[in-house]
Amino acid sequence: QVQLVESGGGLVQAGGSLRLSCGASGFILGINDMGWYRQALGEQRELVAAISSSGSTNSAASVKGRFTISRDNAKKTVYLQMNSLKPEDTGVYYCNARIRTLSGERDYWGQGTQVTVSS
């Protein structure tokens, strides 16, 4: 059974930094795109940043220049380095990955990790 497990969330003051990690486990044949989404209270889930298997990245305009997504294919792990955090970055951050198994290819989600930025 494939699982995505996130870590690294927490409470930080505005201007601070956090690093999120998300590791995939299970019988995995390959991982294509990986990404981070976030959902603020009462809001829809939105894409924060994504990275392809070859390392191409894209990110939301609101985090450009502050957040950096990266991945370690050997460790099946994706990271999100978040700098210069703002109160509006507060929310639950979810890891997403398109994973290929013997059953085929589909999207998997982590359980979410809370990020709270105080002003």
Side-chain angles (χ1 to χ4, degrees), residues 15-32:
S17 297
L18 284 173
R19 188 190 194 213
L20 305 182
S21 300
C22 172
S25 63
F27 194 81
I28 296 171
L29 298 180
I31 304 177
N32 291 321

Side-chain angles (χ1 to χ4, degrees), residues 56-67:
S56 298
T57 64
N58 68 283
S59 58
S62 60
V63 306
K64 281 188 188 297
R66 300 188 298 122
F67 292 10

Side-chain angles (χ1 to χ4, degrees), residues 1-50:
Q1 183 175 352
V2 172
Q3 283 189 314
L4 294 178
V5 179
E6 300 132 338
S7 62
L11 172 65
V12 65
Q13 287 189 331
S17 297
L18 284 173
R19 188 190 194 213
L20 305 182
S21 300
C22 172
S25 63
F27 194 81
I28 296 171
L29 298 180
I31 304 177
N32 291 321
D33 292 350
M34 304 183 82
W36 290 94
Y37 289 72
R38 68 185 178 192
Q39 188 167 20
L41 198 61
E43 302 290 332
Q44 288 190 336
R45 192 173 298 188
E46 63 175 358
L47 174 69
V48 176

